[in-house]
Structure formats: C-alpha cells, structure tokens
Amino acid sequence: MQKNKGITIQRHIVEQERLFPQATGDFTGLLWDLSIAAKIISREVNKAGLAEILGLTGEVNIHGEAVKKLDVFANERICKSMEHGGHLCIMASEENDDVITIPEEFPRGKYVLMFDPLDGSSNIDANVSVGTIFSVYRRKTTGKEATIEDCLRKGTEQIAAGYIVYGSSTMMVYTTGQGVYGFTLDPSIGEFLLSHENIKIAAKGRTYSINEGNTHTWDEGTRRYIRYLKESDPSTGRPYSLRYIGSLVADFHRNLLYGGIFLYPADYKDPKKPKPKLRLLYEANPLAFIVEQAGGMASTGEERIMDIQASDLHQKVPLIIGSREDVLAYEKYFEQE
Ligand code: AHG
Ligand code: MN
Ligand code: MN
C-alpha cells in the first residue's frame, strides 16, 4: 500500500508552508490557483482533437514562432486564474512581449510569476506530450507598482519552480527548495495526488536528448561529446540511447525520472554570434531549480544557469541539463574547443 496515498497538492503545499514560520498562506494560495489553471489546461489539451482549438492563430510571437490556438488559450487561462488572487504583483510570459501587470481592480501581492504557458506546442496537433513551466520570485522593488526589474532576476532568487506535463497522465512537479515532489491528476476526483515523493535524478544516465538535425550548427566541443556518447564502451555504459521528443518538459521529465542529459546548445553557424533557442526566464531557470533540487546540474556549457543575471525578458541561453556526471562530462568537452 503506497504510504503517502491520497495526499493532495493542497495538503502538501500547506505542509511545505509550515516549514517557513514567516509564511502567511499567501504562497499556498498562489500554487493552489496555479493548480486550478493546470486542470483547466489539461482538460483542453486532452480534448484538443475534438474542440476547435487546434491549429494556428495566424500570429507570430516575439520569437518569430507561429502561435498555436492552445498557446493562446493556456496563456490567457493562466493570466485569468492568477491575476485576481492578490498573491502577485506582476507576471511575465514567453508569449507576451512585455510584462503582464495586475489589473487595477485586483489587490497586489508580494510574488512574481513567470511562465511558459504551453511548451512543446509544435507537437500538440500530433498528440505528443506538452507542458507548462513556471517560476516564482519574491518582489524586490518597493515602489507603488512592480516593474520589469522584478522580472529581470537570477535563477538563484527563485522561491519555487515547477512544471505540468500533459501526457499519458497529467502531472505537476514542483519544488520550493525543499526537494522535488510530483503529483498526478486523478481526473475522477479532479485532484493532484502525491505520486513521486522527493524525486532524485541519477548521477549518470544512459540516454541523451538532442536534436541531431542541428549537428551542422553545433560547436566542435558538442560534436565531439555526442560522438563520444555514441562510441561503444560497455564498461562506461556507452553507447547512450537517443531519446528526443521535441517538447522540453517531456524530455526533461523523462530524464529526471530515468536519468540522462538534455542538450540544446547554441547555433554556432556564425561562430562570432552563437544563437541559443531556449528561454532563460521561462524554461531554463525553472527546470534548473528543479534539477538542482533533485541532485542534477543545469549549465550553458560554461556557467551555471541559475547564476545568470537576466537582462532581457526574452533572453535565450544554451541549456545542458540533467544527470550531474553527464553535464560535467559535457562541460569538459565544451571548454576544450
Ligand atoms: P515552445 O513550444 O514553448 O516554443 O518550446 C519549444 C521548445 C522546447 O519545448 C523543445 O525542447 C524545443 O523547442 C524543440 O526545438 P527543436 O524543434 O528545434 O528541436
Ligand atoms: Mn517552451
Ligand atoms: Mn511555449
């Protein structure tokens, strides 16, 4: 019999809250509101094939990516679920060019929420797992209204981070700096129930996740590292298997549970102007907080993701994340350019 059967995410958040004597229940309310948004997005993702919610909106976002109807739905859903609770002073989303202010009529809170409302959305029409990624910070400015300064932070300042993966089941994984916990949605009662207590990632994996179609854009260090993983050496568990879904949340979640390394290096076609793809604030930082809490590592290849001071809302970084020994091995190859 599973010993922690039936612990809902609400009960877990309250118990986590009790670890911080100065906590006011405000944080509990924030995560609770977020879990409701997640259930609504899960319902839409799971019936996407039926509802008129698939396909493109015809718009293009700040990253030049075609916007899917479900991107817009998820983005609006999170904003609507989070703006009225009085827990937040400002938000920022991968899908919004500028910060998202709290409407006049609602009270302001002390937290900042930044999120990727729908990650992996290019896959949604093919019924492949997608996700939502979020980060929570404490406000740092003291004026009447929060500003973009409250969003341009270092990952080490996060007080919570998590993701929801809408897959064969809907799971919410989060950390508040006290370990990583996974909750699986039981649709029959509409509750997220604790299913993965204190997740730890293996020190070394047997799989690597990278888009091999980009080999021609990689730097020499990345090329040599991937070649190394493919050489057969049973004593070190090589060759590794390639597992790449193309949804960061799904690829990350698999590596968190099974061990492994996910790599999205910068495009070095122009060596003087490396071009990374993944977003620091909405993808790299939250997943870096989670993987470090699970005993793993997250790096650009030369620096810790969570040490980077954000200077732009849509800043992109190379992301090498997963089992500690694998990320360390990559860093050795990357620096031996
Ligand atoms: P998003 O759907 O939020 O734009 O994120 C897509 C990202 C990430 O989910 C995934 O790891 C990566 O794009 C896949 O990129 P490629 O298709 O270039 O491999
Ligand atoms: Mn994304
Ligand atoms: Mn997205």
Side-chain angles (χ1 to χ4, degrees), residues 94 116 119 279 283:
E94 174 198 274
D116 174 356
D119 172 73
R279 279 64 58 142
E283 294 169 316

Side-chain angles (χ1 to χ4, degrees), residues 145-310:
E145 292 294 346
T147 70
I148 191 168
E149 289 318 306
D150 291 298
C151 299
L152 299 179
R153 310 291 285 269
K154 271 190 179 183
T156 45
E157 296 175 70
Q158 292 175 93
I159 61 155
Y163 59 85
I164 299 99
V165 51
Y166 310 104
S168 46
S169 65
T170 293
M171 264 194 77
M172 185 163 179
V173 175
Y174 87 100
T175 184
T176 57
Q178 312 290 326
V180 180
Y181 295 85
F183 299 81
T184 301
L185 183 62
D186 177 343
S188 67
I189 56 171
E191 288 291 356
F192 280 104
L193 300 179
L194 185 63
S195 53
H196 296 69
E197 188 148 12
N198 209 5
I199 301 172
K200 291 295 175 199
I201 186 170
K204 191 174 181 323
R206 298 289 307 275
T207 59
Y208 70 103
S209 309
I210 194 167
N211 181 341
E212 292 257 8
N214 294 336
T215 304
H216 63 293
T217 70
W218 298 341
D219 59 280
E220 196 41 41
T222 300
R223 278 205 191 91
R224 285 189 298 106
Y225 175 68
I226 298 299
R227 262 201 304 274
Y228 161 74
L229 290 187
K230 291 176 175 175
E231 282 161 7
S232 174
D233 176 348
S235 68
T236 59
R238 295 199 318 269
Y240 277 30
S241 297
L242 170 61
R243 292 285 182 276
Y244 192 69
I245 300 169
S247 289
L248 170 60
V249 170
D251 280 314
F252 175 82
H253 185 64
R254 185 208 46 253
N255 291 347
L256 181 69
L257 297 185
Y258 296 171
I261 183 170
F262 172 95
L263 310 98
Y264 210 110
D267 173 334
Y268 272 85
K269 273 203 288 294
D270 175 355
K272 286 196 262 337
K273 266 178 64 196
K275 275 171 51 193
K277 168 168 185 177
L278 298 178
R279 279 64 58 142
L280 174 62
L281 292 175
Y282 316 110
E283 294 169 316
N285 268 338
L287 298 184
F289 190 13
I290 291 172
V291 85
E292 289 198 6
Q293 282 288 310
M297 265 183 84
S299 140
T300 61
E302 52 198 343
E303 75 178 302
R304 181 188 180 210
I305 290 286
M306 293 219 290
D307 285 341
I308 300 172
Q309 170 57 53

Side-chain angles (χ1 to χ4, degrees), residues 75-76 78-80 82-83 88-103 108 111-115 117 145-148 151 282 313:
N75 202 39
E76 287 172 359
I78 292 173
C79 291
K80 276 202 214 93
M82 301 309 292
E83 65 187 8
L88 300 176
C89 56
I90 198 165
M91 291 187 262
S93 163
E94 174 198 274
E95 296 298 334
N96 289 57
D97 299 359
D98 204 346
V99 294
I100 304 163
T101 53
I102 304 300
R108 275 93 175 101
Y111 297 112
V112 178
L113 178 71
M114 299 203 268
F115 54 95
E145 292 294 346
T147 70
I148 191 168
C151 299
Y282 316 110
L313 271 186

